[in-house]
Amino acid sequence: MGHGLCTVAMRADSTAVINCGSVNSLDNAGELAGRYLLSRGRSRVDILLLSNLSEEYANGAAMLMEMVELKRLVLPAAAEEGPVLDGILSAARSHGVEVAYINRSSSLEAGGIRIQAFTASNDGERNNALALRLGLGDCEAFIPGDISMAEERRISREQALENTEILVVGRHGSASAGSELMLWELNGSIALISAGYNNFGCPEEETLERLSSCGYNIYRTDKDGTVEIRIS
């Protein structure tokens, strides 16, 4: 999805979408996500959860609501006010979507899809962002999003994240994401990096090296396109 992020989880008839945004892309992220969902026979989404409201995480949400039926929109309680939020809330009102806010560590569930949210602490850096753990059956994925490395380490120390098989690498694989402590705590095997054309050099070589040294197989949307993982 260009230099952005969108993660879709599907189980039986239930669907959850984590983030929906992109920058430096000619295509609207919501349209791309909507086309993908419809191609999989999914015209209804149970949960759309936005881990923060920067463009690369959220600016496709309004268009996604035009293309599929959304039951519930979940936002960080400390979401940034501004045109992105205004547009998302306006679209939610137009389509009769329930809006919920997370203001502390919370758990959500939709038809066997489990989402655990961790709010960032007040360390002065991106304390309006969420990190998420996504579960389907026995498979767990961790989506740190845009939280800082310090927050990655804190959450790794405070939460039981071991044996989390899949990591959706934060910050598009920048050098300020993927702390070694977190990688070892997760003890995972698959790393997904969502990145496109950008001026920041993402994913950065030192992050790729950390992932490889910790035993992760790396898949990148800038090289591999849309990445699908099927869980038996």
Side-chain angles (χ1 to χ4, degrees):
M1 190 166 285
H3 195 62
L5 184 64
C6 182
T7 303
V8 176
M10 296 180 285
R11 183 171 187 179
D13 294 329
S14 300
T15 306
V17 177
I18 310 298
N19 295 314
C20 185
S22 181
V23 293
N24 301 327
S25 175
L26 296 176
D27 297 309
N28 182 283
E31 184 176 356
L32 289 173
R35 289 204 306 263
Y36 174 82
L37 289 164
L38 293 172
S39 74
R40 269 55 180 180
R42 305 284 169 149
S43 59
R44 174 182 136 157
V45 171
D46 297 279
I47 295 173
L48 169 61
L49 196 159
L50 304 176
S51 65
N52 74 61
L53 294 188
S54 61
E55 287 191 347
E56 68 258 44
Y57 291 85
N59 68 359
M63 176 60 75
L64 183 61
M65 284 183 260
E66 294 285 342
M67 297 187 67
V68 299
E69 178 188 353
L70 176 62
K71 183 176 179 181
R72 181 165 38 153
L73 171 68
V74 182
L75 303 171
E80 309 95 327
E81 295 184 1
V84 174
L85 177 60
D86 292 344
I88 290 170
L89 292 178
S90 176
R93 287 192 296 270
S94 296
H95 295 282
V97 176
E98 174 191 349
V99 179
Y101 294 88
I102 293 177
N103 57 14
R104 61 186 183 277
S105 295
S106 305
S107 296
L108 307 170
E109 194 273 338
I113 301 171
R114 307 179 304 277
I115 304 172
Q116 185 177 9
F118 309 104
T119 54
S121 64
N122 293 318
D123 66 352
E125 184 179 0
R126 290 174 169 83
N127 59 12
N128 53 8
L130 299 175
L132 305 169
R133 194 179 195 192
L134 175 66
L136 289 89
D138 294 330
C139 183
E140 303 281 349
F142 187 54
I143 308 173
D146 206 34
I147 67 172
S148 67
M149 259 187 166
E151 285 296 282
E152 287 183 349
R153 290 189 288 267
R154 180 187 66 82
I155 291 171
S156 297
R157 288 192 301 265
E158 294 179 359
Q159 306 295 331
L161 300 180
E162 65 275 5
N163 300 318
T164 299
E165 184 177 0
I166 301 167
L167 170 65
V168 181
V169 181
R171 298 187 178 184
H172 316 292
S174 82
S176 61
S179 70
E180 191 169 3
L181 171 64
M182 179 192 70
L183 296 179
W184 287 120
E185 287 288 333
L186 295 178
N187 191 31
S189 60
I190 297 172
L192 308 179
I193 300 176
S194 181
Y197 173 79
N198 65 92
N199 296 318
F200 308 104
C202 296
E204 295 192 61
E205 191 60 34
E206 64 183 273
T207 304
L208 297 174
E209 290 176 358
R210 280 198 302 272
L211 290 166
S212 295
S213 67
C214 292
Y216 285 79
N217 295 308
I218 302 168
Y219 300 90
R220 300 166 47 170
T221 60
D222 58 340
K223 291 189 173 182
D224 302 312
T226 299
V227 179
E228 289 189 345
I229 298 175
R230 298 183 182 272
I231 301 167
S232 58

